């Protein structure tokens, strides 16, 4: 393996998703502002329900705001043999570094979704049958390029299972150690 860092990112969200996320975050801030400014301790349940409905609406909007704004990235520190799956919203990122296991091969395959469409995934396999996902996309060509690049960087084989019942090993140019 090379002694370099590898970053695999979903990139930036489309503008329309950022606009929807911004609208959701704005609504959350406004709802929380009204909740904290209008809230009063009382035994009147009608007033309490009205105040807490603002909080409930803000909490209800958080998952959709995150769905339109979170970007997933896979980071590899080849020198220290560790990796991190990071999630980020704007400048805020979270994730923890973990030891990178001895990768046996990289696979790319087609995964069916509940709505009948497909998503293509890049997985890293280790200890014979354990794996973790590092990238997914709806475009097979993009996933194939990513899989080739990762396999070449890690100096391992690539298993292509994007076409059902026509799985095969892909020839990868090996780097000399």
């Amino acid at each position: 393996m090379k002694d370099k860092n590898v970053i695999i990112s979903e990139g930036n969200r489309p503008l329309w998703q950022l606009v929807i996320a911004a609208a959701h975050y704005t609504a959350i801030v406004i709802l929380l502002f009204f909740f904290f400014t209008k809230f009063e301790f009382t035994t009147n349940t009608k007033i309490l329900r009205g105040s807490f409905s603002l909080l409930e609406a803000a909490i209800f909007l958080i998952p959709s705001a995150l769905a339109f704004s979170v970007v997933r990235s896979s980071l590899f520190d080849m020198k220290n043999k560790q990796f991190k799956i990071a999630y980020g919203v704007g400048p805020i990122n979270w994730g923890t570094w973990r030891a990178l296991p001895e990768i046996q091969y990289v696979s790319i395959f087609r995964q069916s979704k509940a709505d009948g469409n497909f998503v293509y995934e890049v997985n890293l396999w280790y200890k014979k049958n354990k794996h973790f996902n590092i990238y997914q996309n709806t475009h097979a060509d993009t996933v194939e390029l990513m899989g080739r690049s990762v396999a070449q960087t890690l100096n391992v084989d690539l298993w292509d299972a994007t076409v059902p019942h026509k799985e095969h090993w892909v020839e990868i140019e090996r780097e000399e150690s």
Side-chain angles (χ1 to χ4, degrees), residues 8 72-76 78 81-87 96 98-109 121-136 150 154:
I8 301 168
R72 182 176 184 244
S73 302
S74 300
L75 299 103
F76 294 90
M78 304 310 256
K81 295 186 178 180
Q82 56 186 3
F83 76 100
K84 173 168 65 168
I85 305 296
Y87 299 92
T96 56
R98 293 182 277 175
L100 182 64
E102 188 65 36
I103 304 299
Q104 294 175 330
Y105 66 94
V106 175
S107 72
I108 54 175
F109 72 99
E121 297 183 352
V122 177
N123 291 324
L124 300 183
W125 291 82
Y126 62 100
K127 290 186 181 177
K128 296 193 181 187
N129 65 349
K130 294 185 179 187
H131 70 280
F132 59 94
N133 178 275
I134 60 168
Y135 183 74
Q136 64 182 4
V150 171
L154 296 174

Side-chain angles (χ1 to χ4, degrees), residues 116-164:
N117 292 324
F118 298 102
V119 65
Y120 296 91
E121 297 183 352
V122 177
N123 291 324
L124 300 183
W125 291 82
Y126 62 100
K127 290 186 181 177
K128 296 193 181 187
N129 65 349
K130 294 185 179 187
H131 70 280
F132 59 94
N133 178 275
I134 60 168
Y135 183 74
Q136 64 182 4
N137 197 316
T138 56
H139 303 288
D141 296 340
T142 305
V143 171
E144 183 179 352
L145 287 172
M146 183 64 66
R148 283 180 180 272
S149 177
V150 171
Q152 189 172 18
T153 301
L154 296 174
N155 208 22
V156 295
D157 295 326
L158 175 64
W159 178 250
D160 184 348
T162 55
V163 179

